[in-house]
Amino acid sequence: RQEIDAIDARILELLNQRAAIAEKIGDTKEAAGLPVIEPGREQQVIERVVGRNPGPLTNEALQAIYERIMLEMRQIQFVRMEKKKGNGQ
């Protein structure tokens, strides 16, 4: 259980690091007039992680996890953009 707790803490830390980077990327996309959703890029991410997957997670499970992670990262970008619009920035 302690090992799982330590791993969960590390996953949380990494997800928040990823979210902070996603915010920066969202700012860059907004400034450049680019859309938040980039299906080609998201497919590249999935292909990369699936290609490096040694298991025991199945590729399908890993794909589902990453699809959810990317969904949440997009949501962070959308919310941040909406807040800026609301503040007149």
Side-chain angles (χ1 to χ4, degrees), residues 38-48 63 67 70:
E38 295 182 69
R41 169 66 180 143
E42 292 182 5
Q43 187 59 39
Q44 287 175 345
V45 170
I46 290 170
E47 288 173 5
R48 188 185 75 244
Q63 180 171 340
E67 285 173 350
M70 289 186 289

Side-chain angles (χ1 to χ4, degrees), residues 8-44:
D8 286 344
R10 184 72 176 130
I11 290 170
L12 178 60
E13 179 184 337
L14 292 170
L15 286 172
N16 278 304
Q17 286 177 6
R18 195 180 202 286
I21 293 167
E23 285 181 328
K24 291 177 187 174
I25 291 169
D27 291 345
T28 301
K29 287 178 183 178
E30 185 177 31
L34 298 171
V36 169
I37 299 172
E38 295 182 69
R41 169 66 180 143
E42 292 182 5
Q43 187 59 39
Q44 287 175 345

Side-chain angles (χ1 to χ4, degrees), residues 55-69:
L57 278 174
T58 65
N59 289 343
E60 293 78 16
L62 194 57
Q63 180 171 340
I65 291 166
Y66 267 83
E67 285 173 350
R68 184 57 189 231
I69 289 170

